[in-house]
Amino acid sequence: ASIVSIITESLYDKPIVIFREYIQNAVDAMAKAPQDSQVLSAHFWFQDNNLYFLDNGTGIASSAFETTMTSIARSDKVKKENIGYKGIGRLSGLPYCSSLTFINIDDYANNVYQEYRIDGDKYNNTRSRTDFNQMSFNELMKEIGTFAEAPDFSRIKGIIGERSKLFDDRNTGFLVILEGISPVLQTTIE
């Protein structure tokens, strides 16, 4: 568990890096998509104290999503073929929000999504416990994370809103939500 503290406090100690990490993940997902006439795009926006990153790339294979989200340094990316490849960048937003949510869009048209949510407030409380440094990464994720195979479709479609046009030609993608962002991240955005 202490590796999460090291990652978020040392590697990702400036809030501007989350833009690099989440955009980089989107670019890598779009690079894996079939290169045909379909339009690939990534968007990010700030609204109601939440920060959103959305792309219509390949997403994560549904069979690997939960394992990927609950593992550290797990990535199918290749160093020389992808921008990111370490499998740790998704945690970069954790210190800057009260909740970090990843939504894998497996089939937009048929409302097939998967969600993994990390409770940032719970993470901060867990960090102050005396047994924190003895916890494994998996134990930590069981305490602070929740997986949902079928999250609230209407909520997701509402968040995507006018950006649903990204899925006119593409049916897969990924959405990252940083809810209740910190004042330092808000200052960075401004």
Side-chain angles (χ1 to χ4, degrees):
S2 60
I3 194 75
V4 176
S5 293
I6 293 167
I7 290 168
T8 58
E9 292 171 17
S10 299
L11 291 177
Y12 304 114
D13 62 342
K14 294 178 179 63
I16 194 70
V17 299
I18 67 168
F19 291 91
R20 178 191 71 211
E21 291 301 323
Y22 295 131
I23 298 290
Q24 177 176 289
N25 285 345
V27 169
D28 283 341
M30 291 185 295
K32 289 192 308 187
Q35 301 299 311
D36 52 20
S37 62
Q38 299 171 340
V39 176
L40 295 163
S41 186
H43 295 251
F44 67 91
W45 68 98
F46 175 66
Q47 181 178 352
D48 299 328
N49 204 38
N50 301 325
L51 183 59
Y52 303 90
F53 295 85
L54 173 67
D55 70 75
N56 64 351
T58 57
I60 298 173
S62 60
S63 60
F65 178 73
E66 184 176 13
T67 302
T68 300
M69 291 295 108
T70 58
S71 300
I72 188 77
R74 179 184 174 97
S75 176
D76 64 353
K77 297 177 186 179
V78 179
K79 185 175 183 176
K80 294 184 181 198
E81 295 175 19
N82 302 106
I83 299 170
Y85 59 89
K86 297 177 193 92
I88 58 175
R90 73 180 178 280
L91 299 172
S92 63
L94 187 55
Y96 303 108
C97 60
S98 62
S99 173
L100 178 60
T101 304
F102 304 97
I103 298 174
N104 191 39
I105 304 167
D106 199 39
D107 184 343
Y108 184 82
N110 293 307
N111 295 324
V112 179
Y113 307 100
Q114 296 167 307
E115 177 180 288
Y116 189 75
R117 180 179 179 273
I118 300 173
D119 187 320
D121 295 331
K122 209 180 257 189
Y123 169 67
N124 287 326
N125 291 336
T126 304
R127 283 180 58 202
S128 64
R129 290 183 5 201
T130 56
D131 66 337
F132 179 75
N133 288 326
Q134 286 74 44
M135 293 176 80
S136 71
F137 183 79
N138 288 337
E139 290 170 332
L140 175 63
M141 290 296 107
K142 284 181 184 174
E143 291 235 3
I144 66 173
T146 54
F147 171 75
E149 186 68 46
D152 183 354
F153 306 127
S154 59
R155 176 180 164 261
I156 295 167
K157 294 246 176 160
I159 290 169
I160 293 172
E162 65 202 39
R163 294 160 196 90
S164 65
K165 292 180 173 126
L166 270 79
F167 302 99
D168 286 350
D169 295 320
R170 302 252 338 124
N171 207 29
T172 59
F174 207 79
L175 174 64
V176 178
I177 307 168
L178 287 83
E179 295 179 79
I181 66 166
S182 69
V184 70
L185 179 54
Q186 186 162 359
T187 300
T188 301
I189 292 168
E190 292 168 356

